[in-house]
Amino acid sequence: MKQSRRIDGTFFATALILFVLIASVFCIKTTIYRERIHDYQEQASYYEARAMAKMALANEIKQIFRFNTGTVSRNYLKLTVEMNDKKTYQFSVPTRFANFKK
């Protein structure tokens, strides 16, 4: 007697379910990884803006101070840092630097 080489339909259904589960886990891991990278980039941008603001204060900024990555402008007790990628950060000036004249 000849044996049938038929594969059961449950094998294909099981393989398909397994593939969907593995693909879902991969997509979730990739999404989490991308979110972490985005958070780190935001944090790095903030610290870069903060460093620019501190350097501008140390150099006694009057109106506008230009850097390669953005500009720092001062309006009395507020420092506004505008990055080249159009992100804007505002920092308050410590009172020891309040001798600035409008």
Side-chain angles (χ1 to χ4, degrees), residues 26-97:
F26 178 75
C27 288
I28 291 169
K29 287 287 216 181
T30 304
T31 303
I32 291 170
Y33 179 71
R34 287 185 61 190
E35 286 297 318
R36 281 190 183 158
I37 288 175
H38 183 263
D39 290 343
Y40 288 140
Q41 287 173 340
E42 288 290 321
Q43 189 177 17
S45 181
Y46 169 78
Y47 284 123
E48 185 177 7
R50 195 170 95 178
M52 288 168 51
K54 286 185 177 190
M55 285 188 281
L57 273 179
N59 288 309
E60 298 176 3
I61 182 176
K62 298 299 181 212
Q63 289 295 324
I64 295 178
F65 208 78
R66 297 189 194 287
F67 292 92
N68 287 341
T69 56
T71 60
V72 180
S73 59
R74 183 173 179 177
N75 185 11
Y76 191 51
L77 291 177
K78 290 237 187 245
L79 286 174
T80 303
V81 179
E82 185 174 341
M83 306 297 277
N84 288 342
D85 59 358
K86 302 298 180 203
K87 291 181 185 170
T88 304
Y89 299 94
Q90 285 195 344
F91 301 98
S92 58
V93 176
T95 55
R96 66 178 180 263
F97 295 103

Side-chain angles (χ1 to χ4, degrees), residues 9-22:
T10 56
F11 174 76
F12 286 119
T14 304
L16 184 63
I17 290 171
L18 188 62
F19 174 75
V20 168
L21 285 174
I22 291 171

